[in-house]
Amino acid sequence: MSGGAIYIHIPFCKQACHYCDFHFSTSMKRKAEMVLALAKEIQMRKNELFDSQLPTPNSQLIETIYFGGGTPSVLQVEEIEFLIEEVYKHYKVAEKPEITLEANPDDLSENRIIELANTRINRLSIGIQSFFEDDLQLMNRAHNSAEAKKSLEMATRYFDNISIDLIYGMPGMSNEKWRANIETALSFGVPHISSYALTVEPKTALKKLIQTGKIAEPKDDVAQEHFHILVDTLQENGFIHYELSNFGKKNYFSKNNSAYWLGKKYIGIGPSAHSYDGISRSWNVANNIIYLKSLEENKLPSEKEILTQTDRYNEYVMTGLRTIWGISLERIQNEFGQKYLDYLLKQSQKFLSDDLLSIENDVLKTTKKGKFLADGIASDLFLINLE
């Protein structure tokens, strides 16, 4: 029985980070109401994950539960436990599922960490972003440098499976400063690091600050240099670069995120959350009030699209190129047919010639030189229309 995943979106934050374009509210007024609505959606969707490949269709095992956001660590421990219990009540859950909570350092007092360690949560994803005060202020993070270090010092005492987020390509960030950030992260012995280039999304405070000249625009060449420093340093320290932005020690890859990249089915609970069942994709309304009202009326506030064969091909190309698993040419032929395979190989030629892509054991992958450019290369391999 192939496994599924459940993602629970907690749409609240203490304050808005300048770079963030995820869906959240800084008002906690409706938090208790939201927790009950999330529980109701978990219950209403209990029959969505079944495996039609089995002789008698059967529910899929839930292998991962992931609390994302927003900032899930603004929830009380009792609220988190209540939502986990709702999943166990309505779904078949694997014997040892990966249960992740995204948390901010300012929410992780020693007491809170001990409380969390006594729940079913067995993985923390801590939003450090930087260990430097000026970076944290530029991003408008709710924590400071001392809290970042203190939270890791304590979390590593009670949790074995910890991931941290770091952001590179910050305006004015030298290579030395970026190296110092990585070295500080490594000093805590965490087994997983997710790291992203600072990107300027429309309608964010960061975009406005750049437009008004208060902050310099991030530079692509700086981000690319930081990326290569990151890859080299983490690989020297025993990390496997298994997805464009993700690095894990052996046995510490994120099972939740790997499920997305490997095309497994998942249910997204909460405002703005996305779901995928192998054939279609659906997404909930990104509005807390409308979400709450719909659930109150026993309606799921979501839209759905059936993925065409071309959509599924493009998606596989995008996720495949970002990961250590690459794009299986055999799978392209079997699932999509010869025309798709011919198109892929034709479009790949220039990247193979420029040593940005390589083919080994019938698998198309980015080379070390091509890794940072994976998304751009993938878009050139996408199919717009195949007649």
Side-chain angles (χ1 to χ4, degrees):
M1 195 186 295
S2 60
I6 288 186
Y7 170 84
I8 303 172
H9 187 83
I10 307 300
F12 300 106
C13 287
K14 287 181 186 170
Q15 64 190 54
C17 298
H18 285 159
Y19 55 86
C20 182
D21 71 340
F22 290 158
H23 170 68
F24 66 91
S25 165
T26 51
S27 163
M28 304 283 170
K29 263 196 314 205
R30 292 175 175 264
K31 185 161 74 77
E33 203 182 328
M34 180 61 75
V35 170
L36 292 174
L38 294 170
K40 190 168 186 179
E41 189 186 355
I42 287 169
Q43 183 182 344
M44 283 173 73
R45 299 181 66 186
K46 65 183 179 187
N47 295 322
E48 277 185 34
L49 281 185
F50 69 92
D51 200 330
S52 56
Q53 307 304 309
L54 294 173
T56 41
N58 209 334
S59 292
Q60 287 192 299
L61 271 185
I62 297 299
E63 293 178 335
T64 69
I65 302 168
Y66 190 101
F67 288 87
T71 312
S73 53
V74 300
L75 292 186
Q76 298 303 311
V77 168
E78 297 73 28
E79 293 172 321
I80 294 166
E81 285 187 300
F82 167 66
L83 290 171
I84 294 173
E85 198 50 53
E86 286 300 300
V87 174
Y88 270 81
K89 206 188 289 182
H90 300 292
Y91 298 79
K92 287 185 180 177
V93 181
E95 202 178 319
K96 290 183 180 169
E98 175 190 89
I99 305 183
T100 304
L101 179 82
E102 286 184 358
N104 276 352
D106 44 299
D107 292 324
L108 294 176
S109 65
E110 185 158 18
N111 281 347
R112 170 56 79 89
I113 290 168
I114 292 168
E115 283 180 341
L116 290 171
N118 287 320
T119 69
R120 286 189 173 108
I121 288 159
N122 50 30
R123 185 174 182 269
L124 290 181
S125 175
I126 305 176
I128 300 287
Q129 315 310 356
S130 176
F131 292 99
F132 289 96
E133 213 59 67
D134 56 338
D135 293 340
L136 295 170
Q137 284 167 4
L138 184 147
M139 291 186 259
N140 199 39
R141 294 292 290 165
H143 69 276
N144 59 37
S145 175
E147 285 172 319
K149 291 170 185 167
K150 186 82 179 143
S151 71
L152 279 175
E153 198 181 297
M154 291 185 300
T156 49
R157 283 186 216 158
Y158 298 96
F159 282 86
D160 162 59
N161 198 350
I162 294 174
S163 177
I164 67 169
D165 286 356
L166 292 176
I167 289 181
Y168 58 86
M170 301 272 296
M173 181 185 270
S174 65
N175 289 350
E176 291 66 41
K177 189 177 179 186
W178 175 232
R179 279 195 184 93
N181 252 334
I182 302 168
E183 292 302 337
T184 305
L186 290 171
S187 72
F188 290 98
V190 294
H192 191 281
I193 293 175
S194 296
S195 192
Y196 309 89
L198 182 69
T199 49
V200 185
E201 302 292 351
K203 297 180 186 168
T204 57
L206 180 61
K207 177 85 174 167
K208 284 200 186 89
L209 290 165
I210 288 168
Q211 282 170 340
T212 53
K214 290 179 182 157
I215 292 177
E217 191 148 10
K219 293 186 171 73
D220 283 350
D221 56 340
V222 171
Q224 188 161 358
E225 211 168 326
H226 287 180
F227 175 78
H228 289 302
I229 290 169
L230 176 74
V231 171
D232 291 345
T233 310
L234 292 186
Q235 285 180 339
E236 282 160 19
N237 283 275
F239 284 79
I240 299 161
H241 187 195
Y242 70 103
E243 193 272 343
L244 188 62
S245 307
N246 286 273
F247 303 79
K249 294 269 178 87
K250 197 178 173 194
N251 300 325
Y252 285 96
F253 295 1
S254 164
K255 288 180 188 167
N256 176 79
N257 294 351
S258 297
Y260 300 159
W261 302 319
L262 293 169
K264 291 190 177 186
K265 297 176 183 182
Y266 56 89
I267 289 181
I269 303 288
S272 82
H274 283 59
S275 304
Y276 174 69
D277 66 5
I279 301 159
S280 65
R281 187 170 299 293
S282 62
W283 54 94
N284 287 346
V285 65
N287 180 303
N288 289 6
I289 307 296
I290 297 172
Y291 175 83
L292 290 169
K293 194 171 183 306
S294 298
L295 266 297
E296 206 180 299
E297 295 167 357
N298 297 315
K299 291 180 196 154
L300 291 173
S302 65
E303 287 182 54
K304 187 176 190 175
E305 66 167 341
I306 304 291
L307 299 174
T308 64
Q309 191 176 31
T310 302
D311 292 335
R312 287 187 289 110
Y313 161 84
N314 288 344
E315 206 152 290
Y316 177 47
V317 166
M318 168 64 88
T319 53
L321 272 199
R322 286 183 66 101
T323 69
I324 198 171
W325 302 289
I327 301 167
S328 160
L329 300 182
E330 186 185 356
R331 181 174 160 187
I332 293 284
Q333 175 139 35
N334 293 345
E335 258 182 58
F336 305 103
Q338 190 64 41
K339 276 187 182 175
Y340 283 85
L341 180 61
D342 292 344
Y343 177 83
L344 176 64
L345 291 172
K346 180 170 160 272
Q347 292 298 106
S348 303
Q349 280 315 309
K350 59 182 173 183
F351 301 111
L352 290 162
S353 305
D354 292 343
D355 190 33
L356 298 172
L357 290 179
S358 68
I359 297 176
E360 283 170 58
N361 302 323
D362 225 19
V363 173
L364 183 68
K365 289 183 183 180
T366 53
T367 60
K368 186 178 177 184
K369 189 173 148 191
K371 268 197 175 89
F372 183 74
L373 308 167
D375 288 348
I377 295 170
S379 66
D380 271 7
L381 305 181
F382 286 170
L383 197 57
I384 307 306
N385 202 359
L386 185 61
E387 290 303 330

